[in-house]
Amino acid sequence: SAPRGLAFDPASNRLFVAHTGYHRVMVYDVDVISNGEAAINVLGQTSFTVGNSGLAQNRLNGARGLALTGSTLFVGDTANNRVMVFDVAAITNGENAVHVLGQATFTTNTAATSQTGLRSPRGVTVDGSNRLFVADTTNNRVMVFDVADITDGEAAINVLGQATFTTNTSATSTTGLKAPEAVAAEASARLFVGDSSNHRVMVFDIAAITDGEAAINVLGQTSFTAGSSGLAQNRLNAPYGVTLLGSQLVVADSTNQRVMIFDVAAITNGENAVNLAGQVDGSLAPIYSKNGVNDGPNL
């Protein structure tokens, strides 16, 4: 029911799926896949047959973004205005989270615009410097946490999209964001942000972060001051997911019903995608001028 986020553990061949509609994370053994196979574990619920939301150390409410580093799983627990942290080295169904960010305790879910608070966080990612990036969607910002050693409710160390931790104004500019949904980070060089309501992907230099710093590149728009949706080889419409595969950035271009692939080894603002999935012509070649739902041999 409305799966949104994915994380893969290559060490154990486990796939983690944010099962948003049933407020849980499902865990699959994908070493050898059988169509429709059963999950091996569940987080956020105590069994596979319940799906109600909850507020507790072992519950979730609208889980969306997932990020895995080692045996630590970060879950964007959107409607609880927090990020839950689970130890998944060995999972017990319905186990407790080991830490929480965005709230001081596991029994509060107040939305906040502060250095410790979150408001509808969605996408999450971790870089090679033990920094967690959280798309704090309704606050129109990306929060950066040091997760080398986590303290419940700890303060963020940096913010992008806003000049300070106490503002949340949306903007279409080199520094602003409007409802960021997704984040993907290189080891410690660049951060890619799916800036959904600006219909673009913003690229930030994260080697050293300054609060509210300007993006270095933009995809989906030809300039930093344009924010309309579009249907073309260089345009996007509500990008809800981003992930990196080597030097390629894969973007879930949701309202255009397609997945766009950009070469980001070297970026030119507003550059064309190099490939796509989900919209093809009669010869199964990519076609960038259509976005219908199931209107041919596509997604």
Side-chain angles (χ1 to χ4, degrees):
S1 178
R4 299 285 172 87
L6 299 171
F8 175 63
D9 179 11
S12 62
N13 286 310
R14 292 179 300 175
L15 177 69
F16 296 82
V17 180
H19 194 186
T20 309
Y22 282 148
H23 314 288
R24 64 187 184 179
V25 174
M26 296 279 272
V27 189
Y28 294 90
D29 181 347
V30 293
D31 184 28
V32 178
I33 301 174
S34 300
N35 291 338
E37 72 181 53
I40 56 172
N41 288 113
V42 63
L43 299 169
Q45 304 289 349
T46 55
S47 76
F48 292 104
T49 56
V50 292
N52 54 314
S53 63
L55 176 62
Q57 192 169 350
N58 66 338
R59 302 299 306 281
L60 298 168
N61 188 353
R64 293 179 76 120
L66 300 179
L68 184 70
T69 177
S71 61
T72 302
L73 180 71
F74 297 91
V75 181
D77 191 18
T78 303
N80 277 331
N81 299 299
R82 65 187 184 180
V83 173
M84 294 282 270
V85 188
F86 293 91
D87 181 346
V88 294
I91 301 174
T92 302
N93 292 341
E95 71 182 35
N96 283 339
V98 293
H99 291 293
V100 62
L101 299 170
Q103 304 290 331
T105 71
F106 291 101
T107 55
T108 59
N109 63 359
T110 304
T113 306
S114 66
Q115 194 168 353
T116 56
L118 298 170
R119 190 179 296 265
S120 301
R122 295 187 179 179
V124 292
T125 194
V126 182
D127 75 354
S129 300
N130 288 312
R131 294 179 297 184
L132 174 72
F133 297 84
V134 180
D136 192 19
T137 305
T138 306
N139 274 329
N140 300 299
R141 66 186 184 179
V142 173
M143 293 279 271
V144 189
F145 295 91
D146 181 348
V147 292
D149 186 17
I150 303 173
T151 302
D152 292 343
E154 71 180 54
I157 56 172
N158 288 111
V159 62
L160 298 170
Q162 303 291 331
T164 72
F165 291 102
T166 56
T167 59
N168 64 1
T169 305
S170 65
T172 306
S173 64
T174 57
T175 57
L177 298 170
K178 185 180 292 187
E181 287 269 350
V183 283
E186 292 175 328
S188 58
R190 294 179 297 179
L191 178 74
F192 298 83
V193 180
D195 191 20
S196 66
S197 292
N198 276 326
H199 311 287
R200 65 186 183 179
V201 174
M202 294 280 271
V203 188
F204 293 92
D205 181 346
I206 57 170
I209 302 175
T210 302
D211 292 344
E213 71 180 49
I216 56 173
N217 289 111
V218 64
L219 299 169
Q221 304 288 349
T222 55
S223 75
F224 290 104
T225 55
S228 61
S229 62
L231 176 63
Q233 192 170 350
N234 67 339
R235 300 300 306 280
L236 297 168
N237 191 345
Y240 277 6
V242 291
T243 193
L244 284 160
L245 295 175
S247 63
Q248 292 188 324
L249 180 74
V250 182
V251 181
D253 190 20
S254 64
T255 307
N256 278 333
Q257 324 294 338
R258 64 188 184 181
V259 175
M260 295 279 272
I261 302 169
F262 295 91
D263 183 346
V264 293
I267 301 174
T268 302
N269 291 341
E271 70 182 32
N272 283 339
V274 296
N275 211 333
L276 65 69
Q279 301 291 341
V280 295
D281 62 20
S283 301
L284 301 185
I287 183 168
Y288 295 93
S289 58
K290 70 173 187 174
N291 62 358
V293 179
N294 290 321
D295 61 348
N298 50 29
L299 295 178

